[in-house]
Amino acid sequence: MSTDVNEQRKALREAALHFHEYPKPGKLEIQPIKPLGNQRDLALAYSPGVAAPCEEIAADPDTVARYTSRQNLVAVISNGTAVLGLGNIGALASKPVMEGKAVLFKKFAGIDVFDLEIDELDPARFVEAVAPLWPTFGGINLEDIRAPDCFAIEEALRERMPIPVFHDDQHGTAIIVGAAVLNGLELAGKRIEDVKICTSGAGAAAIACLNVLVALGARHENIWVADKDGLVTHKRNDVNDKWRGQFRRESDATTLAEVIDGADIFLGLSAAGALTPEMLQRMASRPLILALANPYPEIMPEVAREVRPDAMVCTGRSDYPNQVNNVLCFPFIFRGALDVAATTINEEMKLAAVRAIAKLAHDPGLEVSASGAPTVFGPEHIIPNPFDQRLILRIAPAVARAAVESGVAKRPITDWEAYHHSLNRFVFRSGLVMKPIIDRAQGRNQRIAFADGEDERVLRATQVLLEERIARPILIGRPSVIEARIERFGLHLRPGTDFEVINPEDDPRYRDYVALFHSLVGRSGVTPETARTIVRTNTTVIGALAVKRGEADALICGLQGRYIRHVRDIRSVVGLQDGVQDVSALSMLIMPRGVFFLADTYVHIDPSADALVGIALQARDHLKRFNIEARIALLSYSNFGSRDGQSAEKMREVYQRLKAIDPDMIVEGEMQGDLALNSELRERYIPDTVLRGEANLLLFPNLDAANLSMTLLKEMNHALSVGPILMGTRSPAHILAPSSTSRGIVNMAAIAATESLGEG
């Protein structure tokens, strides 16, 4: 293994350990959702008030969903006997994985989780420990339990617990594989009843995959299975259990290679190298290869395509198309099951998820491919991206409907349109709102100039940008300082090789930069001598000139100095877009409640109605880059004419002008902040409002209101701030807040890179 790879793995390990330890150990915590601010609150929450819901539940157990969090609480349970990539590491060592699973449930579907690591290897005793826990949870997710124990454990728990029990390692993988097979066979023009399937691996996931394929129409007589000991046949006496035994075949063959001739599907859940190029060559036309071993699949996709250009390939890796990742389905399956209080997750619900995932892949992808083109249904897009924001909107209703129709829903949904609308609250609550932006930027090699190239945060961001292939950094700073700080911070960066450096003290382009700068500002009182001094000392000007000359695609600055001075420099060098009167700032806050955009948070002290109209239209276009439809609230101290005054009348005028420009725009106002977020309050004033649910783009009448609201919301909600995004410049240029983190810098670099591509 090369030294570089070893260094990268060491760096990743150190970063992961730091991530898990700071600022607090672990990845999740419990937060109260009801106030406990006085004696009355305490009396309601505990004694004596708590007796009331206890009595109601005792009289009618189904009311537990009304008075407790049980119906949104899942247990992630493991004994650590089959942790992915690590094997039998035990219950205690598996806890970071289970916490990670809990975070995914919460981030993707708003589901709360207790992770339970049980130190028990005996399946029967494991069942006895778990089965009595059903009053606590709305569902059970079994995780990383070795086969065949996992089969017996799941079966026993499903019989004893009146709530959904789901072994994700089995069924999550199986559901995604089922979707891939449906779409792969559609492209190949084949029927599932006719295809030959060869499987490498006979563990929990492999058997579950085969069971789903059989449920979809595959025939047992067309399925061949091999494990590490060879082909599963009747001659072997070590595969007699009912789970693997159903796939035994009568044959003298002993290896998968002997029976792979003419196979239409290879399903691999085993180890690297299990499918050789020679074996692949003998498969049927347009074969579907599901090489799901991690981190190295049974055959690498590039090898498979070289041998068989007509092959469709899926792996478990994120760096290739068609990633089979369980996060594609398990949060959303549980979301649908919990929302109808399902007593189980049955075959009908699993197959509904299969078909929903398969159907979503037919829709144009929200991300772009490596070539920069939008993903479309085809050999490299037969399953959706795991981070497709529409997954919850497709899978959860399909699963919930299947639960209702199959008779396992204790709380059936009657208004499906309202239910679909309610799921929108999870779509952008996950913190993954940046994913479409990063996907578009990756591999496009856009050049981002960083004015604060010596800052530790920029250097750490540079490491991430290079590792994630988001952008090519250009650092403005003194090379000796940059190199010393790279060494001090333990980063793996090579100036001049990994990134370009512009040295303000000695750059061969200095004279050209001075000449260009003076030509732009010479009639604004800047003498040639002053221009020389500015280009030596002002790194924002240097970066802006690099953009102006086409030597960089975008500029990031602002970690030092006053915001408005950076605005002045950018405005004078980069210039404004055609038809734009001035720049403005859009801030994004990612909070547990959701994602909100606020404007104008940094530039205009008291914008005119005309300026606010322009800001609203520009902000709406920026939201499209995130695949978000803008729902605009025009904020004021007045609710729909309840009070007069300069700012209220201004926001009223902005509303009228925006509706005149685009009658279909989702915009409402003028109104107070609570009405922007509370549809029930809003509809008391305007019952026929076009704004449904929460507004996601908040427009303020002046800088006082905008900046104070943004900074207070950020601190009070521990929000992740992205931005401010500077709107209206001729080329992308963004001014960071001095408090920006390395993560925030990476996000802004991705936004700038995408802008420079002219996409979104």
Side-chain angles (χ1 to χ4, degrees):
M1 186 177 298
S2 70
T3 302
D4 284 349
V5 172
N6 279 328
E7 288 295 325
Q8 289 172 7
R9 289 188 174 182
K10 181 181 177 182
L12 179 62
R13 178 180 177 83
E14 291 172 354
L17 291 174
H18 187 276
F19 176 88
H20 281 79
E21 185 175 1
Y22 298 102
K24 293 169 63 174
K27 294 194 283 284
L28 70 161
E29 64 182 5
I30 296 172
Q31 292 281 354
I33 59 172
K34 296 293 171 64
L36 288 173
N38 53 47
Q39 188 64 37
R40 177 171 174 77
D41 290 345
L42 186 60
L44 293 173
Y46 199 54
S47 180
V50 74
C54 291
E55 291 168 346
E56 291 293 319
I57 296 168
D60 180 2
D62 287 343
T63 61
V64 70
R66 293 178 58 188
Y67 302 118
T68 76
S69 61
R70 176 181 183 266
Q71 204 55 50
N72 196 52
L73 183 62
V74 166
V76 171
I77 304 179
S78 180
N79 61 5
T81 53
V83 178
L84 180 65
L86 299 174
N88 185 358
I89 61 174
L92 185 63
S94 75
K95 188 170 181 64
V97 180
M98 302 311 126
E99 283 191 354
K101 193 82 171 190
V103 169
L104 294 177
F105 266 109
K106 186 66 174 179
K107 288 290 186 181
F108 281 90
I111 295 171
D112 296 313
V113 168
F114 289 160
D115 62 290
L116 303 177
E117 294 74 34
I118 298 178
D119 187 17
E120 181 55 69
L121 300 181
D122 180 77
R125 294 181 63 180
F126 186 95
V127 168
E128 291 303 320
V130 175
L133 297 175
W134 68 264
T136 304
F137 301 104
I140 303 291
N141 185 95
L142 299 173
E143 192 77 16
D144 293 348
I145 301 171
R146 66 189 174 192
D149 295 355
C150 59
F151 299 123
I153 287 171
E154 185 189 37
E155 188 174 276
L157 291 177
R158 284 169 62 92
E159 290 176 357
R160 292 182 55 178
M161 303 181 82
I163 57 175
V165 177
F166 187 82
H167 184 207
D168 183 48
D169 299 321
Q170 293 183 58
H171 308 301
T173 302
I175 287 166
I176 304 164
V177 164
V181 167
L182 287 181
N183 283 338
L185 295 183
E186 178 182 338
L187 288 170
K190 301 175 182 179
R191 300 193 319 154
I192 194 167
E193 296 88 351
D194 303 328
V195 296
K196 180 179 178 180
I197 303 169
C198 286
T199 304
S200 177
I207 298 303
C209 288
L210 293 175
N211 285 335
V212 163
L213 297 183
V214 169
L216 290 171
R219 296 175 179 171
H220 277 88
E221 58 265 30
N222 292 338
I223 297 173
W224 295 86
V225 180
D227 61 14
K228 60 183 176 61
D229 296 316
L231 209 61
V232 174
T233 67
H234 284 281
K235 292 187 176 183
R236 289 177 55 180
N237 57 14
D238 60 341
V239 287
N240 297 324
D241 60 80
K242 62 181 179 181
W243 300 286
R244 292 176 295 177
Q246 63 178 312
F247 295 106
R248 291 188 299 172
R249 298 291 304 273
E250 292 284 359
S251 177
D252 292 328
T254 59
T255 67
L256 201 63
E258 296 175 67
V259 297
I260 202 166
D261 285 25
D264 300 281
I265 298 172
F266 171 83
L267 173 60
L269 289 136
S270 54
L275 180 63
T276 66
E278 188 274 333
M279 292 168 63
L280 174 57
Q281 192 66 56
R282 291 156 45 203
M283 292 181 67
S285 64
R286 303 202 74 181
L288 175 59
I289 310 302
L290 297 145
L292 307 183
N294 257 323
Y296 301 108
E298 286 77 3
I299 189 169
M300 293 300 291
E302 57 268 26
V303 175
R305 293 193 185 94
E306 183 179 352
V307 175
R308 291 293 300 269
D310 62 334
M312 292 168 279
V313 185
C314 301
T315 70
R317 293 173 54 134
S318 61
D319 52 347
Y320 290 99
N322 295 322
Q323 183 192 11
V324 176
N325 186 328
N326 288 9
V327 80
L328 255 167
C329 66
F330 73 80
F332 318 123
I333 290 172
F334 270 96
R335 182 73 274 158
L338 294 174
D339 288 341
V340 295
T343 56
T344 187
I345 295 176
N346 57 25
E347 292 305 308
E348 292 88 345
M349 295 160 73
K350 295 175 196 173
L351 295 181
V354 169
R355 295 188 173 98
I357 294 169
K359 185 177 180 182
L360 179 55
H362 287 250
D363 295 342
L366 298 180
E367 71 282 358
V368 296
S369 65
S371 65
T375 50
V376 295
F377 180 61
E380 293 198 350
H381 187 65
I382 61 174
I383 48 178
N385 185 290
F387 298 97
D388 193 311
Q389 297 151 339
R390 300 167 295 184
L391 285 164
I392 192 169
L393 303 177
R394 305 294 180 86
I395 298 174
V399 169
R401 191 181 293 274
V404 172
E405 293 175 351
S406 62
V408 299
K410 295 176 66 178
R411 194 172 61 247
I413 291 170
T414 54
D415 188 340
W416 289 98
E417 183 178 351
Y419 177 59
H420 188 276
H421 179 73
S422 74
L423 293 173
N424 277 300
R425 70 191 189 276
F426 299 117
V427 172
F428 300 110
R429 190 173 296 183
S430 66
L432 293 167
V433 69
M434 284 299 304
K435 186 63 180 172
I437 299 291
I438 292 173
D439 281 346
R440 293 188 188 107
Q442 282 181 321
R444 309 296 290 279
N445 291 319
Q446 296 304 102
R447 302 159 300 168
I448 310 297
F450 290 92
D452 303 289
E454 298 175 1
D455 192 286
E456 176 186 356
R457 291 165 292 176
V458 170
L459 294 172
R460 293 191 182 280
T462 295
Q463 182 91 56
V464 175
L465 292 170
L466 292 169
E467 290 175 355
E468 300 295 325
R469 302 180 301 110
I470 295 172
R472 287 169 50 200
I474 301 171
L475 304 190
I476 302 172
R478 295 161 293 177
S480 60
V481 175
I482 291 173
E483 291 175 16
R485 292 180 178 178
I486 286 173
E487 183 176 357
R488 184 199 309 170
F489 304 138
L491 301 174
H492 302 280
L493 296 171
R494 296 165 297 176
T497 301
D498 294 327
F499 59 88
E500 181 185 343
V501 177
I502 297 178
N503 182 3
E505 296 179 341
D506 183 21
D507 191 279
R509 296 164 290 190
Y510 172 69
R511 292 181 182 277
D512 294 333
Y513 276 31
V514 170
L516 175 58
F517 183 58
H518 187 259
S519 73
L520 295 169
V521 300
R523 294 185 179 276
S524 299
V526 178
T527 67
E529 184 62 33
T530 303
R532 284 191 287 272
T533 300
I534 290 173
V535 175
R536 277 275 189 238
T537 59
N538 189 323
T539 56
T540 294
V541 168
I542 295 170
L545 290 168
V547 172
K548 187 75 172 179
R549 283 165 53 90
E551 295 164 354
D553 299 302
L555 166 66
I556 303 290
C557 62
L559 292 179
Q560 306 292 332
R562 293 169 52 200
Y563 188 93
I564 204 64
R565 292 188 66 180
H566 294 289
V567 170
R568 178 202 64 190
D569 294 336
I570 289 170
R571 190 191 285 125
S572 61
V573 176
V574 175
L576 301 177
Q577 294 175 8
D578 293 338
V580 173
Q581 293 182 1
D582 200 359
V583 297
S584 57
L586 176 69
S587 293
M588 177 168 67
L589 296 179
I590 303 174
M591 299 183 288
R593 179 169 183 149
V595 177
F596 298 91
F597 294 82
L598 294 75
D600 168 20
T601 49
Y602 278 90
V603 180
H604 293 271
I605 294 175
D606 187 14
S608 66
D610 189 48
L612 284 169
V613 169
I615 291 168
L617 295 174
Q618 289 180 68
R620 178 189 63 174
D621 292 341
H622 270 275
L623 263 65
K624 291 177 183 178
R625 299 183 188 276
F626 297 89
N627 301 321
I628 298 175
E629 182 180 36
R631 301 190 302 275
I632 306 172
L634 305 175
L635 300 183
S636 173
Y637 53 78
S638 168
N639 284 320
F640 307 104
S642 64
R643 290 187 63 181
D644 290 327
Q646 182 180 358
S647 69
E649 292 167 1
K650 176 169 63 175
M651 301 309 279
R652 216 171 293 158
E653 181 183 349
V654 172
Y655 171 77
Q656 294 166 351
R657 292 179 58 179
L658 287 173
K659 294 302 285 187
I661 292 170
D662 183 359
D664 295 326
M665 184 183 298
I666 302 174
V667 59
E668 196 56 271
E670 84 285 3
M671 58 183 158
Q672 295 174 2
D674 53 353
L675 269 68
L677 303 181
N678 189 319
S679 58
E680 185 177 338
L681 288 177
R682 185 168 60 248
E683 288 167 9
R684 292 178 189 174
Y685 286 83
I686 307 291
D688 60 346
T689 175
V690 297
L691 177 59
R692 301 295 179 185
E694 295 180 331
N696 56 21
L697 174 54
L698 308 178
L699 214 65
F700 295 84
N702 54 52
L703 187 58
D704 277 343
N707 191 270
L708 287 170
S709 296
M710 185 270 295
T711 51
L712 284 171
L713 285 171
K714 176 184 173 184
E715 287 302 311
M716 293 173 67
N717 294 278
H718 304 289
L720 172 63
S721 175
V722 179
I725 300 168
L726 192 63
M727 304 186 295
T729 55
R730 184 170 293 278
S731 298
H734 298 291
I735 307 165
L736 300 168
S739 59
S740 296
T741 63
S742 293
R743 182 181 179 187
I745 295 170
V746 169
N747 285 335
M748 283 309 304
I751 290 171
T754 304
E755 282 185 274
S756 68
L757 292 165
E759 298 177 351

